[in-house]
Structures are given as structure tokens and as C-alpha cells.
Amino acid sequence: MADKQYGIFDVLGPIMIGPSSSHTAGAARLGKVGKEIVGKDFDEVKFYLHGSFAKTYRGHGTDRALVAGVLGMDPGDERLREALDMAKEQDLKIEFEEANLGHYQHPNTVKMEFHCIDGTEFSVTGSSIGGGSIVIKNIEGTNVSFMGNKPVIMVYFDNKDDIESEVEKIVQYSGAEIETFETERTETKDESAFIIETKDEIVDEAIEKLMRIETVKEVKKIRAV
């Protein structure tokens, strides 16, 4: 999937704490969207920092902002400065590591590896693109491209049948207006995913209908943050 192009109206900055919208506000949003994507409790997060994130994360407060995000804070939350101490108090293990995530990545990119209480692991990669805005680029090995400011559903299915029109009808009939509809192969060769960005949050009834499609394996609902 080629990266989408984002305009000036996509990167207007939020109220934030810290010296840099890319390194603090954007980082906090990346953490918060990552938490939403995972959707379950975790007790450890490893942050693999790429490019300028890796070089300046301590001085610009990127470390605190990322942790604040996974704790559920917004970029303007006054508690962001104490996020590292708050993680310790909540027994949330945090680790930062400098990493090369590929020459094609935006310089402000992080891969977040969540270690969940149920023993599973989950990874989310995203970039801070300026003005506090972000782009989520990979979820568990599946390439995606969305900003996290609109609801998204991911429909994982095997490749035996063409179910695109059926999935589209269910989403539309639920009253959720589709803004983007992409198809991507996952790391499993016989499995793909629809990444559907909608104007309004899709209702649970529609999720249940999607799950009844024979070749659908999983449906992940990601709320706007």
C-alpha cells in the first residue's frame, strides 16, 4: 500500500504539553491509539524508536509522552510530565530501544510492542507527521494507513471467497458512512484484511453480522482517539 497523502488540514496541532508537537503531542496520540488498537490489559510495553525519535526522545519528552498515551492520557494532560513515575506506580514495565525500522519510515516513527496479561503480544507501528497528527502504519504485520481520528474496523478473512461487496453492504446498512476501504495481505499468506475507515462509529450489531460471514476470522473495532 502506498502511503496516503495528508494535507495541511490534517495536521493542525492540538493543545499539548511539551516543546514539540511531533515529539510530544504526536507521541502521546500514538501511544493512546496503540492502547485502543490492542483493546485489552497489558503489563509491559517496549518502544522501538526510529530516526529522530531515537536521537532526541529523552530531551524532547517523547518517552514520557508515549507512556502517557498508553496510560490513556491526551496530549494536553498536565500529568504527562509524570507519566514514567505513574507507569511504575501501576506496575507497568516500560522499555525504550533505539531501532532502525527501515529507510522508508518517517523519522518520527515508533514500533510499540504490547505484552498483554493473557500472555499474548501485540505490535503497532506509527509515525508522528507534524502538528500533533499521526499515521498508524502497521498492525501485527499488516500494513495500514490511517490517522486514528476516525473510527476504523479491520476485518480479517481467508482468501477462499470474494466477500468485499458483502462486507461493504453490512457496514453501509449499519448507517456508518465509509470514507476509505482498503485491502491488505497479512503476514499469513492465505489471510487478508479489509481496513475500513468510517465517518461514524459502527454499531456492535454490524460487527456481529460481519463475524457471521463464513470466511471472516476476526473483526477489530478501533474507536477514534
Side-chain angles (χ1 to χ4, degrees):
M1 173 191 292
D3 284 346
K4 294 178 184 176
Q5 297 300 311
Y6 297 98
I8 184 63
F9 294 107
D10 292 316
V11 294
L12 296 177
I15 298 171
M16 67 176 190
I17 302 295
S20 165
S21 61
S22 293
H23 288 253
T24 51
R29 286 204 66 234
L30 283 167
K32 191 170 184 181
V33 174
K35 172 184 171 69
E36 173 62 29
I37 291 170
V38 173
K40 53 185 176 180
D41 293 334
F42 47 87
D43 55 11
E44 181 179 355
V45 187
K46 293 183 179 180
F47 298 96
Y48 296 91
L49 303 166
H50 172 85
S52 60
F53 265 8
K55 293 180 176 65
T56 63
Y57 71 94
R58 289 191 180 91
H60 283 187
T62 306
D63 50 355
R64 288 171 287 172
L66 286 167
V67 174
V70 301
L71 291 175
M73 297 183 210
D74 292 319
D77 196 311
E78 291 285 347
R79 298 172 299 166
L80 185 149
R81 298 182 180 92
E82 286 79 45
L84 296 175
D85 291 333
M86 291 176 66
K88 288 181 182 178
E89 291 170 3
Q90 296 180 29
D91 293 321
L92 177 61
K93 185 179 179 182
I94 297 295
E95 185 177 334
F96 296 95
E97 183 175 322
E98 296 182 18
N100 184 348
L101 299 178
H103 68 277
Y104 55 90
Q105 294 287 4
H106 188 282
N108 297 329
T109 297
V110 59
K111 178 179 179 181
M112 298 171 281
E113 188 178 86
F114 294 83
H115 295 250
C116 300
I117 292 174
D118 63 7
T120 59
E121 295 181 4
F122 204 93
S123 67
V124 178
T125 300
S127 301
S128 176
I129 60 174
S133 292
I134 65 169
V135 177
I136 301 300
K137 307 183 102 174
N138 192 282
I139 299 174
E140 275 296 282
T142 301
N143 291 324
V144 300
S145 184
F146 61 85
M147 300 181 73
N149 58 353
K150 296 174 184 175
V152 171
I153 56 171
M154 294 184 67
V155 182
Y156 295 88
F157 62 98
D158 66 37
N159 297 319
K160 287 187 284 188
D161 298 308
D162 183 3
I163 61 170
E164 182 172 341
S165 60
E166 186 176 2
V167 169
E168 190 172 359
K169 285 177 183 177
I170 290 173
V171 175
Q172 288 176 332
Y173 290 164
S174 75
E177 182 181 339
I178 294 174
E179 299 226 339
T180 62
F181 194 117
E182 305 285 347
T183 306
E184 284 292 332
R185 286 291 182 103
T186 68
E187 286 187 329
T188 304
K189 292 183 179 178
D190 62 349
E191 184 178 291
S192 296
F194 295 128
I195 301 98
I196 308 165
E197 194 173 35
T198 59
K199 187 175 181 181
D200 306 297
E201 188 169 328
I202 192 168
V203 296
D204 290 338
E205 183 182 355
I207 300 294
E208 293 169 4
K209 288 181 179 178
L210 290 169
M211 284 299 301
R212 291 191 201 113
I213 299 173
E214 184 178 356
T215 54
V216 169
K217 296 182 176 182
E218 181 186 359
V219 179
K220 178 172 284 291
K221 181 179 177 179
I222 305 167
R223 294 177 300 177
V225 172

